[in-house]
Amino acid sequence: MTVPRPLRVVIVGAGVSGSGVAAGLVRAGAASGFSAEVELVDPRPSPGAGLTYAPGGDPRHRVNVPSIRMAAVAGPPAGEAKEGEEEDFHRWCLESGVLEADLAGWADGLHYPARSVFGRYLDERLRALFSAAGPVRVTHRRDRAVAARRLESARGAGFVVELAGGRMLEADALVLCTGNPGPELPGVLAGLAGHKRVVADPWAPGALDPIGRTDRVLIVGTGLTMGDVVSTLLGRGHRGPLTALSRHGLVPRSRPAGHADSWTDFTADPPAGVRDLLRRVRAAVADAGRQGRPWTDVLESLRLQNGALWTALPIEERRRFQRHLRPWWDAHRFQAAPQVARLVASAQTDGRLSVLAGRLVGANADADSSGTRGDEGGGLWVLYRPRGGDALTGRTYDALVNCTGAGHGASFGRNPLLAALTAQGLIRPDPLGLGVEVDRQRRALDAGGRPVTSLFVVGPPTRGSLGEVTGSSEIVPHALAVAGALTAWRHGMFPRSP
């Protein structure tokens, strides 16, 4: 009797999404004898960490979820953990002494360690998992996938994936886990690209090094990345004035003490529009307050149910959410770690940091306060319209840091693999322009809107189709679902594309 050859899977991206899929396949193999050869393609040295949790990052950058609730596929599988192992990351932190060493504890007894600590944990656990003997073998290829094409053979449709180093990988299934696209300067600042005092990508190595300690710094964007930049600059002894500007001037809400517990169900009768959703959320928050529960219990319900709520909204309502409610959702959903929230609040109180609400309307490099070009090395002249007003305000800064988030608009053009798949009609952008359009099984939709059975997408690129898939607690279930789908597909239990 012939033994089926292992399923060949190429996973592009080894962050939480990609490593989660690989770990799920390893677990499936250990449980059922399912065999696979998994190529995990990512140039970074550590699996699991990605950009967000990269080891060696600034220790001032904190996880914004208590360690006891950090979801990680690297620990024991659900239902098989021994007592205390469900909280594997927190237990690892206690055993390694990192919680005490970096004062991660907070007044409510919860811990918010550095994000790089979570990266170290993932690296340690995943390396052990991937190196263990078993029917699923995982190989980490430190390279970049630059192209892929459909491969038709007697065994069925698959892919050939080309790496930057020249290697070609054949795959029965391809899983895209490319994460968030890199930041790009807002259109009004595009003329400043390449300026030595303009930081287009604050996550690039050494990006903040050119900023002097007394520089007047404009931070464009007031979300979590702004808090990280402020933490880094103040931690380095920065003494100059910091100004953060965004359209609404909303900063991440500080996480209240204690756990947030899901409290109400919005999915029994999903709202068909954002107005109805907003009305019901406000009513739930008011009701929670009357019963002595924090608003974060309502938000926890929304976080857990967001996929069902999002897919129930018509596309026009999703667009309306993006236009009007997204900044408010982000400020409440992505709460700051207590250490960062306290630092930002303290900097605002003592005048080191000003947070402004307004819209950028113009910018000049090397200009004086009149807006005309000055001597070499002059300031950056920025013009904005304060929110709720008509008059324009202009100010001069010595440096500018872009904290506007992922550059979704250019993701397909900047990523050669996505561009190649799009050119072949195998994937298409979602209608909101946030990533790759997928169906509810996380299969990519081709140019004609048909699911491609052997092509999956996991993580932030599915945000436009499936709702919020950003934090590890949202990503891990999606990664495990795709691992389960690949296992089922291997056994002939997954529908093929038309």
Side-chain angles (χ1 to χ4, degrees), residues 292-316:
R293 301 181 70 113
W295 62 269
T296 46
D297 283 3
V298 177
L299 190 88
E300 181 69 2
S301 304
L302 285 172
R303 185 187 70 79
L304 294 173
Q305 301 162 27
N306 95 87
L309 294 173
W310 184 255
T311 54
L313 290 175
I315 186 61
E316 283 305 318

mmCIF file of all heavy atoms in Angstrom, residues 292-316:
data_model
loop_
_atom_site.group_PDB
_atom_site.id
_atom_site.type_symbol
_atom_site.label_atom_id
_atom_site.label_comp_id
_atom_site.label_asym_id
_atom_site.label_seq_id
_atom_site.Cartn_x
_atom_site.Cartn_y
_atom_site.Cartn_z
ATOM 1 N N GLY A 292 -22.414 48.765 37.851
ATOM 2 C CA GLY A 292 -21.079 48.800 38.442
ATOM 3 C C GLY A 292 -20.017 48.085 37.632
ATOM 4 O O GLY A 292 -18.968 47.725 38.178
ATOM 5 N N ARG A 293 -20.258 47.905 36.341
ATOM 6 C CA ARG A 293 -19.277 47.233 35.489
ATOM 7 C C ARG A 293 -18.577 48.274 34.619
ATOM 8 O O ARG A 293 -19.182 49.264 34.207
ATOM 9 C CB ARG A 293 -19.957 46.183 34.600
ATOM 10 C CG ARG A 293 -20.698 45.109 35.384
ATOM 11 C CD ARG A 293 -21.318 44.113 34.442
ATOM 12 N NE ARG A 293 -20.283 43.292 33.803
ATOM 13 C CZ ARG A 293 -20.143 41.982 34.027
ATOM 14 N NH1 ARG A 293 -20.930 41.375 34.890
ATOM 15 N NH2 ARG A 293 -19.212 41.299 33.398
ATOM 16 N N PRO A 294 -17.295 48.082 34.292
ATOM 17 C CA PRO A 294 -16.563 49.061 33.482
ATOM 18 C C PRO A 294 -16.960 48.980 32.009
ATOM 19 O O PRO A 294 -17.450 47.948 31.527
ATOM 20 C CB PRO A 294 -15.098 48.654 33.675
ATOM 21 C CG PRO A 294 -15.161 47.179 33.931
ATOM 22 C CD PRO A 294 -16.425 46.959 34.718
ATOM 23 N N TRP A 295 -16.717 50.075 31.290
ATOM 24 C CA TRP A 295 -17.034 50.102 29.862
ATOM 25 C C TRP A 295 -16.232 49.077 29.076
ATOM 26 O O TRP A 295 -16.646 48.632 28.005
ATOM 27 C CB TRP A 295 -16.787 51.504 29.291
ATOM 28 C CG TRP A 295 -15.362 51.982 29.388
ATOM 29 C CD1 TRP A 295 -14.812 52.703 30.414
ATOM 30 C CD2 TRP A 295 -14.302 51.770 28.445
ATOM 31 N NE1 TRP A 295 -13.480 52.951 30.170
ATOM 32 C CE2 TRP A 295 -13.144 52.400 28.965
ATOM 33 C CE3 TRP A 295 -14.232 51.120 27.225
ATOM 34 C CZ2 TRP A 295 -11.925 52.384 28.296
ATOM 35 C CZ3 TRP A 295 -13.014 51.101 26.555
ATOM 36 C CH2 TRP A 295 -11.878 51.728 27.090
ATOM 37 N N THR A 296 -15.100 48.664 29.640
ATOM 38 C CA THR A 296 -14.255 47.700 28.926
ATOM 39 C C THR A 296 -14.917 46.328 28.825
ATOM 40 O O THR A 296 -14.555 45.546 27.946
ATOM 41 C CB THR A 296 -12.892 47.567 29.630
ATOM 42 O OG1 THR A 296 -13.095 47.435 31.039
ATOM 43 C CG2 THR A 296 -12.026 48.781 29.360
ATOM 44 N N ASP A 297 -15.899 46.012 29.691
ATOM 45 C CA ASP A 297 -16.618 44.744 29.545
ATOM 46 C C ASP A 297 -17.441 44.746 28.261
ATOM 47 O O ASP A 297 -17.557 43.729 27.580
ATOM 48 C CB ASP A 297 -17.528 44.509 30.756
ATOM 49 C CG ASP A 297 -16.759 44.050 31.992
ATOM 50 O OD1 ASP A 297 -15.519 43.970 31.915
ATOM 51 O OD2 ASP A 297 -17.391 43.793 33.030
ATOM 52 N N VAL A 298 -18.022 45.897 27.932
ATOM 53 C CA VAL A 298 -18.771 46.014 26.677
ATOM 54 C C VAL A 298 -17.806 45.925 25.498
ATOM 55 O O VAL A 298 -18.083 45.264 24.487
ATOM 56 C CB VAL A 298 -19.566 47.332 26.631
ATOM 57 C CG1 VAL A 298 -20.297 47.478 25.290
ATOM 58 C CG2 VAL A 298 -20.557 47.397 27.793
ATOM 59 N N LEU A 299 -16.659 46.575 25.620
ATOM 60 C CA LEU A 299 -15.680 46.530 24.543
ATOM 61 C C LEU A 299 -15.157 45.116 24.343
ATOM 62 O O LEU A 299 -14.916 44.703 23.198
ATOM 63 C CB LEU A 299 -14.516 47.476 24.847
ATOM 64 C CG LEU A 299 -13.595 47.640 23.643
ATOM 65 C CD1 LEU A 299 -14.081 48.776 22.758
ATOM 66 C CD2 LEU A 299 -12.170 47.882 24.065
ATOM 67 N N GLU A 300 -14.979 44.372 25.436
ATOM 68 C CA GLU A 300 -14.524 42.990 25.316
ATOM 69 C C GLU A 300 -15.542 42.161 24.532
ATOM 70 O O GLU A 300 -15.166 41.301 23.726
ATOM 71 C CB GLU A 300 -14.294 42.387 26.707
ATOM 72 C CG GLU A 300 -13.785 40.961 26.717
ATOM 73 C CD GLU A 300 -12.358 40.810 26.209
ATOM 74 O OE1 GLU A 300 -11.718 41.831 25.871
ATOM 75 O OE2 GLU A 300 -11.877 39.668 26.152
ATOM 76 N N SER A 301 -16.823 42.430 24.761
ATOM 77 C CA SER A 301 -17.858 41.745 23.983
ATOM 78 C C SER A 301 -17.706 42.074 22.499
ATOM 79 O O SER A 301 -17.782 41.188 21.638
ATOM 80 C CB SER A 301 -19.253 42.167 24.469
ATOM 81 O OG SER A 301 -19.412 41.919 25.850
ATOM 82 N N LEU A 302 -17.506 43.350 22.192
ATOM 83 C CA LEU A 302 -17.324 43.760 20.798
ATOM 84 C C LEU A 302 -16.081 43.119 20.188
ATOM 85 O O LEU A 302 -16.092 42.691 19.027
ATOM 86 C CB LEU A 302 -17.208 45.276 20.714
ATOM 87 C CG LEU A 302 -18.493 46.087 20.876
ATOM 88 C CD1 LEU A 302 -18.163 47.568 20.965
ATOM 89 C CD2 LEU A 302 -19.449 45.826 19.717
ATOM 90 N N ARG A 303 -15.010 43.054 20.961
ATOM 91 C CA ARG A 303 -13.772 42.472 20.446
ATOM 92 C C ARG A 303 -13.975 41.006 20.072
ATOM 93 O O ARG A 303 -13.557 40.559 18.998
ATOM 94 C CB ARG A 303 -12.662 42.585 21.486
ATOM 95 C CG ARG A 303 -11.302 42.111 20.998
ATOM 96 C CD ARG A 303 -10.283 42.083 22.109
ATOM 97 N NE ARG A 303 -10.538 41.040 23.084
ATOM 98 C CZ ARG A 303 -10.235 39.753 22.892
ATOM 99 N NH1 ARG A 303 -9.691 39.351 21.756
ATOM 100 N NH2 ARG A 303 -10.483 38.860 23.830
ATOM 101 N N LEU A 304 -14.636 40.261 20.941
ATOM 102 C CA LEU A 304 -14.842 38.838 20.695
ATOM 103 C C LEU A 304 -15.855 38.580 19.584
ATOM 104 O O LEU A 304 -15.788 37.571 18.896
ATOM 105 C CB LEU A 304 -15.302 38.151 21.983
ATOM 106 C CG LEU A 304 -14.279 38.129 23.123
ATOM 107 C CD1 LEU A 304 -14.910 37.588 24.396
ATOM 108 C CD2 LEU A 304 -13.063 37.292 22.740
ATOM 109 N N GLN A 305 -16.792 39.499 19.403
ATOM 110 C CA GLN A 305 -17.866 39.302 18.431
ATOM 111 C C GLN A 305 -17.644 40.096 17.144
ATOM 112 O O GLN A 305 -18.492 40.074 16.251
ATOM 113 C CB GLN A 305 -19.205 39.718 19.056
ATOM 114 C CG GLN A 305 -19.566 38.936 20.309
ATOM 115 C CD GLN A 305 -20.635 39.624 21.150
ATOM 116 O OE1 GLN A 305 -21.459 40.382 20.656
ATOM 117 N NE2 GLN A 305 -20.624 39.356 22.446
ATOM 118 N N ASN A 306 -16.516 40.785 17.042
ATOM 119 C CA ASN A 306 -16.365 41.742 15.939
ATOM 120 C C ASN A 306 -16.412 41.086 14.566
ATOM 121 O O ASN A 306 -16.904 41.675 13.607
ATOM 122 C CB ASN A 306 -15.085 42.570 16.134
ATOM 123 C CG ASN A 306 -13.885 42.011 15.392
ATOM 124 O OD1 ASN A 306 -13.661 42.318 14.234
ATOM 125 N ND2 ASN A 306 -13.104 41.173 16.066
ATOM 126 N N GLY A 307 -15.927 39.852 14.447
ATOM 127 C CA GLY A 307 -15.960 39.179 13.158
ATOM 128 C C GLY A 307 -17.381 38.976 12.661
ATOM 129 O O GLY A 307 -17.703 39.265 11.502
ATOM 130 N N ALA A 308 -18.247 38.472 13.529
ATOM 131 C CA ALA A 308 -19.645 38.241 13.156
ATOM 132 C C ALA A 308 -20.361 39.560 12.873
ATOM 133 O O ALA A 308 -21.165 39.661 11.937
ATOM 134 C CB ALA A 308 -20.362 37.472 14.257
ATOM 135 N N LEU A 309 -20.085 40.578 13.684
ATOM 136 C CA LEU A 309 -20.730 41.876 13.482
ATOM 137 C C LEU A 309 -20.275 42.515 12.178
ATOM 138 O O LEU A 309 -21.067 43.107 11.448
ATOM 139 C CB LEU A 309 -20.413 42.794 14.666
ATOM 140 C CG LEU A 309 -20.992 42.368 16.020
ATOM 141 C CD1 LEU A 309 -20.456 43.254 17.135
ATOM 142 C CD2 LEU A 309 -22.517 42.422 15.996
ATOM 143 N N TRP A 310 -18.989 42.400 11.877
ATOM 144 C CA TRP A 310 -18.441 43.032 10.670
ATOM 145 C C TRP A 310 -19.001 42.375 9.413
ATOM 146 O O TRP A 310 -19.424 43.065 8.480
ATOM 147 C CB TRP A 310 -16.918 42.924 10.689
ATOM 148 C CG TRP A 310 -16.232 43.618 9.558
ATOM 149 C CD1 TRP A 310 -15.656 43.038 8.467
ATOM 150 C CD2 TRP A 310 -16.019 45.030 9.403
ATOM 151 N NE1 TRP A 310 -15.093 43.989 7.645
ATOM 152 C CE2 TRP A 310 -15.309 45.223 8.203
ATOM 153 C CE3 TRP A 310 -16.364 46.134 10.164
ATOM 154 C CZ2 TRP A 310 -14.938 46.475 7.738
ATOM 155 C CZ3 TRP A 310 -15.997 47.398 9.709
ATOM 156 C CH2 TRP A 310 -15.295 47.560 8.518
ATOM 157 N N THR A 311 -19.014 41.050 9.369
ATOM 158 C CA THR A 311 -19.489 40.368 8.173
ATOM 159 C C THR A 311 -20.992 40.544 7.972
ATOM 160 O O THR A 311 -21.490 40.360 6.851
ATOM 161 C CB THR A 311 -19.141 38.869 8.223
ATOM 162 O OG1 THR A 311 -19.653 38.299 9.442
ATOM 163 C CG2 THR A 311 -17.634 38.667 8.175
ATOM 164 N N ALA A 312 -21.713 40.908 9.041
ATOM 165 C CA ALA A 312 -23.152 41.155 8.909
ATOM 166 C C ALA A 312 -23.447 42.533 8.333
ATOM 167 O O ALA A 312 -24.578 42.792 7.899
ATOM 168 C CB ALA A 312 -23.842 41.005 10.267
ATOM 169 N N LEU A 313 -22.467 43.430 8.326
ATOM 170 C CA LEU A 313 -22.683 44.786 7.810
ATOM 171 C C LEU A 313 -22.572 44.809 6.289
ATOM 172 O O LEU A 313 -21.622 44.243 5.728
ATOM 173 C CB LEU A 313 -21.649 45.755 8.394
ATOM 174 C CG LEU A 313 -21.757 46.104 9.881
ATOM 175 C CD1 LEU A 313 -20.571 46.966 10.296
ATOM 176 C CD2 LEU A 313 -23.069 46.823 10.190
ATOM 177 N N PRO A 314 -23.479 45.477 5.595
ATOM 178 C CA PRO A 314 -23.314 45.671 4.147
ATOM 179 C C PRO A 314 -22.047 46.483 3.875
ATOM 180 O O PRO A 314 -21.556 47.215 4.744
ATOM 181 C CB PRO A 314 -24.573 46.453 3.746
ATOM 182 C CG PRO A 314 -25.548 46.238 4.869
ATOM 183 C CD PRO A 314 -24.722 46.068 6.106
ATOM 184 N N ILE A 315 -21.539 46.378 2.660
ATOM 185 C CA ILE A 315 -20.272 47.023 2.342
ATOM 186 C C ILE A 315 -20.339 48.527 2.541
ATOM 187 O O ILE A 315 -19.368 49.149 3.013
ATOM 188 C CB ILE A 315 -19.832 46.679 0.891
ATOM 189 C CG1 ILE A 315 -18.433 47.227 0.620
ATOM 190 C CG2 ILE A 315 -20.840 47.188 -0.120
ATOM 191 C CD1 ILE A 315 -17.356 46.674 1.510
ATOM 192 N N GLU A 316 -21.480 49.166 2.237
ATOM 193 C CA GLU A 316 -21.577 50.614 2.423
ATOM 194 C C GLU A 316 -21.507 50.987 3.898
ATOM 195 O O GLU A 316 -20.979 52.040 4.261
ATOM 196 C CB GLU A 316 -22.872 51.150 1.801
ATOM 197 C CG GLU A 316 -22.818 51.267 0.290
ATOM 198 C CD GLU A 316 -21.631 52.111 -0.181
ATOM 199 O OE1 GLU A 316 -21.350 53.162 0.446
ATOM 200 O OE2 GLU A 316 -20.967 51.719 -1.159
#
